[in-house]
Amino acid sequence: MAEKNIIAYFKSPEEANKVADQMKSLGVEDIQIDRFGKYPLGSADQLSSPGTGELSSQATLTLGASEGRDTGILASADVSASGMSDGGENPISGRDIVLAAIVDQSVFDKAKQFIKDADGLV
């Protein structure tokens, strides 16, 4: 039995879950759905105050990015952290939900069609 991998991107968890249910009806068992973001440790629950002296990076202050020093410094290199430029175009696609599945080759095309019907990107 030959297997194939699928990685698809969706705008909402509901879209991804609907496709996962459809794939399960085909006998697919290995499915995972996750959300990913621009900043690896996520965003801070609270914005930091520069008056406390505990500010790890500019991105922590301006974007509410994670408190991690290393990732905060890297995120500060993004043009959206300074507000001085928008980078020339809008990089946000709105597809921050990823569905990964291992499917049997015999149902691969049908699984891809479920994704396309739900406005997902393969």
Side-chain angles (χ1 to χ4, degrees):
M1 213 161 45
E3 295 177 334
K4 288 193 161 200
N5 301 317
I6 294 178
I7 298 178
Y9 302 92
F10 296 91
K11 293 180 181 176
S12 73
E14 293 79 21
E15 291 174 347
N17 285 321
K18 178 183 173 189
V19 170
D21 290 341
Q22 291 173 325
M23 286 179 158
K24 287 177 185 175
S25 73
L26 296 175
V28 178
E29 295 179 11
D30 295 323
I31 302 171
Q32 183 172 343
I33 299 172
D34 280 312
R35 180 179 301 270
F36 65 94
K38 189 174 189 179
Y39 304 108
L41 296 177
S43 61
D45 292 334
Q46 302 173 7
L47 293 178
S48 300
S49 169
T52 64
E54 297 175 10
L55 189 63
S56 61
S57 71
Q58 177 183 9
T60 302
L61 177 63
T62 60
L63 302 174
S66 68
E67 292 290 333
R69 179 168 169 73
D70 294 338
T71 58
I73 291 170
L74 183 59
S76 294
D78 189 307
V79 295
S80 58
S82 69
M84 298 301 289
S85 171
D86 69 356
E89 59 185 80
N90 186 0
I92 299 171
S93 70
R95 296 181 192 274
D96 63 344
I97 306 297
V98 63
L99 177 147
I102 301 172
V103 302
D104 186 79
Q105 189 169 1
S106 63
V107 298
F108 179 73
D109 291 330
K110 186 68 174 169
K112 277 184 24 179
Q113 190 59 49
F114 287 152
I115 294 165
K116 290 177 183 178
D117 290 346
D119 195 33
L121 294 178
V122 181

